[in-house]
Amino acid sequence: MTFFNEETGFAVLRVKAKGHPDLLTVVGSLPSASPGEWLTAEGKWVRDKEHGLQLKADKIKCVPPSTRDGIEKYLGSGMVKGIGPVYARKLVERFGEKIFEIIEDYSVKLEEVDGIGPGRRKLIKEAWAEQKFIREIMVFLHSHGVSTSRAVRIFKTYGESAIDKVRHNPYTLARDIPGIGFKTADQIAQNLGIPRDSIMRASAGLAHVLIEGTGSGHCALPRSLLIKQAVQLLGIEERIVAEALLQLLAKRELVQEQVEGEDLIFLPSLRLAEAGIADKVRRLASGPPDYPAIDVEKAIAWCQAKTGQELAPSQREALSQALTRRVIVITGGPGVGKTTLVNAILKILTAKKAKCLLCAPTGRAAKRLSEVTGLEAKTIHRLLEVQPSAGGFTRNEERPLEGDLLVVDEASMVDVPLMHSLLNAHPPGAGLILVGDVDQLPSVGPGMVLNDLIQSGIVPVVRLTEVFRQSAESQIITTAHRINTGQMPGFQEREAASDFYFIERREPEQILATLLEMVKTRIPRKFKFDPLRDVQVLSPMNRGLLGTRELNLCLQTELNPARPEEPFIEKFGWQFRLRDKVIQTENNYDKEVFNGDIGQITAIDPWERQATIRFEQREVAYDFGELDEVSLAYAITIHKSQGSEFPVVVIPLATQHYLLLQRNLIYTGITRGKKLVLVIGQKKAFALAVQNNRTARRFSGLLARLKGAGQ
């Protein structure tokens, strides 16, 4: 196989045919092919100007090989986990042409081959059965003109009922299978003969629009907007969409609710989550915590003597609130003493034998929280004991957490569903402290929980604003605070010791060239940072010359070029190499890796068809078919960087990003840098971002519910 596009199935094959001494070229579409397989192809012979004589095939069918040589190539291609070239040769030598029958019906005989024990035998048998069934799924999907790259995922989700489920309602694919969108599911539906104006299709379109809305931070959509967007998506009459909506509302598959005079349509799970958060917060705000009696003034004096740190008046006030109120929000920018305050609270309460639970939304944020407090901190998912099979948590109202205080750091990142799960498991009688910077970007998921809690007025809020002397010496911190107040930072030439630099470049091509030079050469040479380990490029967007996709391809070429002697994987539009920096792009509860986790590829095994990725101190194995869950991470979006800190941050900035140039975006990006930040780009783009304090509206009912206006 000289070329194969997993998304379309288009392939260029070099085949050996009976009666032809030379290899022949066949081009066409097929689900997959492995070396050694037999092909039957129908089509026309054409003479390509560049590539010569080819069979342009209308139909290509693959069948397992029947010759010993073909079988050995087929099994040794890596398509069956547990069998590489060595074992393929041994198996063919022992069982000859009967090997397929042996694997399928008499697998215990495989243990007659040297090196194959019960474990490997089981692996081979399971992989063979899975491969066989996946092939059926691939053929079925391919026959309907769609990508086959998600076949493994479909099999794992639906098992042996996969084809039946797809035939019954192909739109469930968009709901259940990550990576398969509505358009793909709709294409299958059309090919299966489902009418374009069917209620089934209209219902699926409405659900899709609402789910897509959650990706933009919405918990609901206004009824009129939902119908309008569904009509645009589906290209059918409004009356059909309106009828489908009525049916969905009648079946409670969607919920309508009036919020501040506007009819909003919710997915039931999000409406329930909002109501649950509001109810829990109101109950927490109504009473004191179950801490032992504490003399606040004495506790503050003791803590200051113990740590040698004088608390500022704002910190003392916050400390008093935290020790006497059941729930409190602590917010403020970098360098204002949030960590000092939290440490003081923890020190006093642990001295009183209180059990303190610490968590954060991401692994990096949790690790940082552990480092600054000296106490164990977990990701929210790990604290709640994520349940892979169900995608939920074992800690809930029936089995709550056990502790006297729950501290949640980087609370601005916590969306409505996750906050609902966390509050469900909140220990009865315990205190709750939410710490975060409300001026950063809101959560990637639906809602603006921290902002709504602050705006509601029902929760005590401590807003720290004083930048402490040590922090004020950092240009990163002073620049961030200037931006947050709508002021442009000074762009005069910085002294060598500065930790913030703006490098002006006017054209996108110049910005890219300078960025590559800085990351590869100048930062390592001048500041002694490792470009792979220490430097993180953050872009406002994914697309364009300065978007993450193009930046990743360029940075990969510069920092980790291909080496002919090393294995690599071409999947899902990326080439993955050893040492590549990668990011997890969705939650995987089975592997316990979550959206935004950054790791490095440490091993690639072509025969086992597995890649190993190291996240922090843990190595995780991925089958090749699962690599759609990760992408290169030399450059990531600023949104994806939330909750993380990096030694060095480099941000390209140009007016081509104008749709995303907002104050909270540039503020968030700059505050991700710990020791050095470089912004490379146009002053005009920087000014646009600083001046633009408008944030896109997120449709939600949480604020109204917190105030008591919603149910």
Side-chain angles (χ1 to χ4, degrees), residues 270-469:
L270 283 174
R271 192 231 171 243
L272 182 69
E274 282 192 354
I277 292 170
D279 179 61
K280 185 76 176 189
V281 169
R282 281 204 299 269
R283 281 192 281 134
L284 283 170
S286 65
D290 292 348
Y291 304 145
I294 296 173
D295 185 316
V296 174
E297 288 304 315
K298 282 185 179 178
I300 292 173
W302 173 85
C303 182
Q304 291 182 151
K306 201 82 173 168
T307 61
Q309 285 184 303
E310 187 78 18
L311 296 176
S314 59
Q315 291 174 315
R316 293 168 68 95
E317 174 59 26
L319 187 54
S320 176
Q321 294 250 32
L323 295 176
T324 55
R325 303 293 293 266
R326 193 128 164 241
V327 58
I328 183 175
V329 171
I330 299 171
T331 188
V336 295
K338 294 193 299 292
T339 300
T340 302
L341 174 58
V342 170
N343 271 331
I345 296 166
L346 293 171
K347 195 168 284 293
I348 291 168
L349 288 176
T350 51
K352 291 286 186 177
K353 309 299 182 190
K355 183 181 180 182
C356 301
L357 305 173
L358 280 63
C359 64
T362 67
R364 283 173 175 261
K367 185 182 178 187
R368 192 172 70 250
L369 185 58
S370 285
E371 289 168 351
V372 299
T373 62
L375 299 173
E376 183 186 22
K378 298 180 178 179
T379 64
I380 296 173
H381 287 85
R382 289 202 174 94
L383 182 71
L384 298 180
E385 298 172 12
V386 66
Q387 199 172 21
S389 57
F393 304 102
T394 60
R395 293 289 185 173
N396 48 41
E397 281 182 303
E398 284 73 41
R399 189 171 170 262
L401 297 163
E402 297 162 11
D404 302 297
L405 172 68
L406 176 62
V407 177
V408 185
D409 198 16
E410 297 287 355
S412 63
M413 292 182 63
V414 184
D415 60 21
V416 162
L418 191 56
M419 183 61 78
H420 181 231
S421 296
L422 188 60
L423 293 178
N424 267 346
H426 182 261
L432 173 66
I433 298 177
L434 301 172
V435 186
D437 186 351
V438 75
D439 295 318
Q440 286 187 30
L441 289 166
S443 59
V444 174
M448 299 176 67
V449 178
L450 186 66
N451 183 74
D452 288 348
L453 286 170
I454 292 170
Q455 295 298 320
S456 73
I458 68 167
V459 175
V461 177
V462 175
R463 188 182 284 270
L464 301 175
T465 56
E466 183 185 347
V467 179
F468 291 94
R469 184 182 58 78

Side-chain angles (χ1 to χ4, degrees), residues 666-684:
I666 191 71
Y667 172 77
T668 301
I670 286 171
T671 55
R672 299 309 89 204
K674 203 171 175 181
K675 296 178 180 177
L676 179 67
V677 173
L678 274 71
V679 179
I680 306 169
Q682 303 160 345
K683 282 185 182 177
K684 184 181 176 182

Side-chain angles (χ1 to χ4, degrees), residues 16 118 127 135 259 296 484 597 614 655 660 691:
K16 190 175 181 180
R135 180 63 65 90
V259 178
V296 174
N484 206 27
D597 287 354
R614 176 179 287 275
T655 51
L660 293 165
Q691 291 159 15

